[in-house]
Amino acid sequence: MKHKLKYIKLPVLVILVAFLFGFAEKRNNARKVSEVKVQFIAGENLYVTEEAVNKLLIQNDVAAAGIDKEILDLNRVERLLNNHDMIENAEAFLSLDGKLQTKISQRKPIGRIVGSSSFYLDKNGLEMPLSPYYSARVPLLLDIDSSNIEKVYPLVSYIQQDKFLTQHITGVRRLPGNKFELQMRKLDFKVYFGKAENIALKLNNFKAFYKKALQDEKLETYKKVNLQFGDQVVCTKK
């Protein structure tokens, strides 16, 4: 009887050890991050990729699948992401199923400076480096550098917010005296804008001129359109 009891105890002991081991492993896994999920705001072009974000987090030892939740510093994750050149704002949080989720809003370029050094001008008027992943279709900003981007920013910002202007203006060139010239898509005339003053008035006048000239089929007859006088559009024919 005693021998039978010993044989019975051994399988029970093995099952008990296996159960305890499995329970401990499950509990340990519940304390770890199961996955890192990167989410970008819908509709944005990817100036930084999910792979690049994951690589950044791993290289800085702040987040990776399998990391213990107790040592995960969400504030540090957000600071690291917000310091990235292509990211405007990032939020990090831990879901109930153990996933580290990051919600990322990227910076938005509105113009591209072309010269000895090339970079974007973003919607907040700040310099933004070019992206290796995506090239933005924005107006080219010529004869402009870091020392005078604040002069062109109000004009480029206004253009970016107007669908008609965005479709038709492909470039902005700075002239002596901080005056500006607009370059048009598929048209060979230049638009002399003058200083970045009375921007709404000048551009509304230009839109009215453009639509009327298009209707009259006269757009190709002009070689220069001058908006510098603000309250009127002065045109020179070829």
Side-chain angles (χ1 to χ4, degrees), residues 20-207:
L20 292 175
F21 180 80
F23 177 77
E25 184 179 15
K26 183 176 180 181
R27 185 176 180 181
N28 184 59
N29 288 338
R31 295 174 55 195
K32 296 182 180 297
V33 173
S34 62
E35 182 183 349
V36 179
K37 186 175 181 181
V38 179
Q39 178 186 357
F40 294 98
I41 299 300
E44 290 190 344
N45 296 311
L46 293 183
Y47 300 105
V48 58
T49 64
E50 180 177 347
E51 181 181 359
V53 171
N54 280 323
K55 185 176 180 180
L56 177 68
L57 296 177
I58 292 171
Q59 286 179 337
N60 287 271
D61 297 323
V62 295
I67 193 172
D68 199 310
K69 295 177 185 178
E70 293 181 0
I71 65 173
L72 178 64
D73 187 342
L74 293 176
N75 288 330
R76 189 180 172 210
V77 173
E78 289 184 348
R79 285 196 302 270
L80 183 65
L81 293 176
N82 283 320
N83 285 333
H84 192 283
D85 287 334
M86 299 297 173
I87 295 176
E88 181 172 347
N89 185 62
E91 298 178 2
F93 57 94
L94 199 60
S95 63
L96 294 176
D97 57 357
K99 293 180 181 179
L100 171 62
Q101 301 201 29
T102 60
K103 190 173 183 179
I104 295 174
S105 176
Q106 299 174 98
R107 296 174 68 185
K108 182 176 178 58
I110 60 173
R112 177 171 177 168
I113 285 79
V114 179
S116 56
S117 61
S118 294
F119 54 91
Y120 290 126
L121 175 66
D122 80 357
K123 68 175 184 178
N124 297 313
L126 302 174
E127 294 182 30
M128 173 182 171
L130 303 182
S131 169
Y133 305 108
Y134 184 83
S135 181
R137 296 185 63 182
V138 291
L140 299 180
L141 308 182
L142 308 170
D143 296 325
I144 294 167
D145 55 35
S146 299
S147 66
N148 47 48
I149 56 175
E150 76 282 355
K151 301 292 185 181
V152 72
Y153 169 67
L155 175 57
V156 180
S157 179
Y158 190 94
I159 291 171
Q160 187 273 329
Q161 296 176 57
D162 186 288
K163 184 177 180 180
F164 174 89
L165 298 174
T166 301
Q167 289 176 342
H168 291 88
I169 296 176
T170 61
V172 179
R173 182 183 296 275
R174 186 176 67 89
L175 305 174
N178 285 319
K179 295 183 179 182
F180 298 97
E181 174 187 271
L182 308 180
Q183 298 179 344
M184 306 299 299
R185 189 184 307 278
K186 297 181 180 179
L187 292 172
D188 61 359
F189 65 74
K190 300 293 192 301
V191 179
Y192 289 85
F193 189 85
K195 291 188 175 181
E197 302 170 343
N198 301 318
I199 295 173
L201 174 63
K202 291 180 182 179
L203 290 178
N204 283 335
N205 286 341
F206 173 71
K207 287 163 67 175

